[in-house]
Amino acid sequence: MASAASAPPTPAKLPRIVAASLIGTTIEWYDFFLYGSAAALVFNKLFFPGSDPLVGTLLSFLTYAVGFAARPLGALVFGHYGDRLGRKKLLVLSLLLMGGATFAIGLLPTHATVGSAAPVLLTTLRLVQGFALGGEWGGAVLLVSEHGDARRRGFWASWPQTGAPAGQLLATGVLSLLTAVLSDDAFGSWGWRIPFLLSGVLVIVGLWIRLSVDESPVFQQALAQAEARKAASDGGAEKLPLVSVLRHHWRDILVAMGARMAENISYYVITAFILVYATTSAGVSKQTALNAVLIGSAVHFAVIPAWGALSDRIGRRPVYLLGAAGVGLWMFPFFSLIDTGGFGNLIIAVTVGLVLHGAMYAPQAAFFSEMFATRMRYSGASIGAQFASVAAGAPAPLIATALLSDYGSSTPIALYVIAAAVLTLIAVGAAKETRDRDLARVESADTESSGARAADARTV
């Protein structure tokens, strides 16, 4: 019999929970991706002037990568308190931190005004962005996963994942509009600030929606069980979630990290590095490249729930493996299409790449949630996802730009993504299927196992 905690919410309640997670992840990814696009387009000139164009872009992407470096710390801190205090409180905090940092970037003085202090301030705010995003993802997908039922968990949990293309769509759309209506001088002088300042308005909307939802019932049940165990053991201290997850779920963390390699690297090559490659090597204008990413992101948004629903029917692993293999096979055609310089070919290259990426990204939320027990799920899912981002997404645009600078060819970049795809195929291939797991029973099984071990120890 399903527990009360794992029973599906009412039809009116679940869409509101999904909306709360989606609006928050959209805003946070808008903030994060906005920086990436600006790093490729203007930050090299505004904060790192006097360098060779590609060197300036490398330095700009280096500050971009710094945001990823802070994400594991955010995963540890938010995961710990999210497993102790609940998902909702930490999601509100992450939204405030991200929105505040992004708004502040829009007010920053440039190198021409304050000299070397400008890139230092930019890097500091980027660190805050990364810290906030490191805690956002895990909480958002868990809030939906733990409210939903196992039968359609892949579909519903995939909706917070659409926050990434929605944020990309919003960020790219705003930048595309500004570059279309403003001259290059006006955009470089003040126009680039507008998208960052808009974040303040978006955060207010996101907070209003996010504060209206209830805490995860699965978490509340697990918290009550933990309190009962604590009382039964004469007030003994409960193990830290980080300690517990590393002890009981270290294999799952490695699987999650491996699963992220192809997904993370391919995404930033397709959406961020393309703004460098298409404009410098293929002779495509900034506006054309942005429009291609805009169209591809719209399709990406639409297909993610479909991939999530498919994972409910055939399993998380088959869909994920299809995406990893597809992205690896697509890389050489991807660059060949861009090299033609045609807008239609550019759209095909980006769109097909993002559709294949969606096959990995859509089931990821449910897949990672189902790997871990409730009282360590925030920590486990966040650590697995965000620690991988340091080795995957963080250096991806930087490595791709360096390879282009050194070899003047897309071949090493394609091989780089293919190698990541092989790693992901190995990791996901070694994982167990999780589609039919009940999130409340995962906790019960772990608790019973721990209780049995403790009982055995007392009888010795």
Side-chain angles (χ1 to χ4, degrees):
M1 182 180 298
S3 66
S6 61
T10 63
K13 186 178 180 183
L14 188 54
R16 187 171 74 248
I17 294 163
V18 171
S21 291
L22 175 56
I23 189 68
T25 54
T26 298
I27 293 168
E28 298 232 15
W29 281 115
Y30 165 80
D31 293 347
F32 205 75
F33 289 143
L34 181 61
Y35 189 103
S37 296
L41 296 173
V42 294
F43 280 178
N44 57 334
K45 299 170 188 159
L46 296 173
F47 293 92
F48 306 98
S51 301
D52 172 84
L54 270 181
V55 173
T57 302
L58 280 169
L59 292 172
S60 184
F61 274 143
L62 188 58
T63 63
Y64 173 74
V66 162
F68 287 84
R71 282 164 67 171
L73 179 60
L76 291 172
V77 174
F78 279 82
H80 171 82
Y81 288 104
D83 282 330
R84 286 294 182 90
L85 305 176
R87 301 10 177 160
K88 178 179 172 180
K89 295 182 181 70
L90 275 298
L91 286 175
V92 169
L93 178 60
S94 70
L95 188 60
L96 287 171
L97 284 173
M98 177 67 89
T102 305
F103 186 82
I105 289 174
L107 301 174
L108 275 183
T110 63
H111 189 280
T113 305
V114 296
S116 59
V120 172
L121 292 170
L122 181 68
T123 303
T124 301
L125 292 173
R126 182 60 175 171
L127 283 168
V128 176
Q129 280 191 324
F131 179 78
L133 191 62
E136 162 68 24
W137 181 85
V141 299
L142 293 189
L143 196 65
V144 177
S145 295
E146 292 179 344
H147 272 93
D149 64 299
R151 187 173 58 86
R152 300 192 70 198
R153 187 181 297 130
F155 171 74
W156 288 115
S158 70
W159 278 100
Q161 300 292 77
T162 65
Q168 180 77 65
L169 192 64
L170 190 58
T172 307
V174 172
L175 284 171
S176 182
L177 177 63
L178 289 172
T179 56
V181 300
L182 297 176
S183 66
D184 287 347
D185 288 342
F187 182 77
S189 176
W190 56 269
W192 68 271
R193 298 182 184 276
I194 295 174
F196 289 92
L197 298 176
L198 281 175
S199 180
V201 178
L202 296 175
V203 166
I204 293 172
V205 176
L207 284 174
W208 175 67
I209 297 176
R210 191 160 271 188
L211 287 169
S212 69
V213 301
D214 298 326
E215 181 56 81
S216 154
V218 171
F219 171 79
Q220 290 176 326
Q221 182 189 53
L223 182 62
Q225 291 173 350
E227 291 296 331
R229 289 196 300 270
K230 184 176 179 181
S233 62
D234 300 323
E238 187 181 3
K239 283 191 174 113
L240 294 174
L242 174 61
V243 174
S244 297
V245 79
L246 292 178
R247 179 180 178 184
H248 298 291
H249 290 286
W250 62 268
R251 290 183 183 85
D252 295 317
I253 289 176
L254 292 178
V255 167
M257 291 177 67
R260 286 276 282 168
M261 289 298 158
E263 178 268 308
N264 221 215
I265 289 172
S266 66
Y267 189 77
Y268 290 106
V269 168
I270 294 169
T271 61
F273 173 70
I274 189 177
L275 299 178
V276 176
Y277 184 81
T279 55
T280 60
S281 294
V284 175
S285 69
K286 287 187 295 185
Q287 184 67 44
T288 300
L290 283 169
N291 287 342
V293 174
L294 192 66
I295 294 169
S297 295
V299 176
H300 195 210
F301 179 91
V303 300
I304 284 177
W307 285 122
L310 183 62
S311 78
D312 285 326
R313 295 180 66 86
I314 67 173
R316 317 299 182 213
R317 291 173 68 251
V319 177
Y320 213 116
L321 290 168
L322 173 65
V327 160
L329 292 171
W330 184 244
M331 276 302 102
F332 280 112
F334 172 79
F335 285 109
S336 295
L337 286 167
I338 295 173
D339 287 338
T340 67
F343 182 53
N345 286 340
L346 196 62
I347 292 173
I348 294 171
V350 174
T351 302
V352 173
L354 288 177
V355 168
L356 293 169
H357 171 271
M360 293 182 283
Y361 200 54
Q364 189 179 97
F367 189 33
F368 288 9
S369 298
E370 291 158 349
M371 288 181 182
F372 302 97
T374 302
R375 287 288 283 161
M376 58 192 84
R377 185 171 293 132
Y378 203 145
S379 294
S382 296
I383 290 169
Q386 303 308 334
F387 273 69
S389 70
V390 175
L398 193 66
I399 290 172
T401 303
L403 290 172
L404 179 63
S405 178
D406 289 345
Y407 296 96
S409 168
S410 62
T411 298
I413 305 165
L415 292 174
Y416 166 53
V417 179
I418 290 169
V422 171
L423 285 175
T424 293
L425 288 169
I426 293 171
V428 178
K432 296 178 181 178
E433 180 56 59
T434 63
R435 176 177 50 138
D436 296 322
R437 290 185 185 174
D438 180 84
L439 297 186
R441 278 204 302 267
V442 170
E443 172 67 16
S444 299
D446 281 6
T447 301
E448 290 167 6
S449 176
S450 298
R453 285 194 298 269
D456 291 342
R458 286 193 295 271
T459 61
V460 173

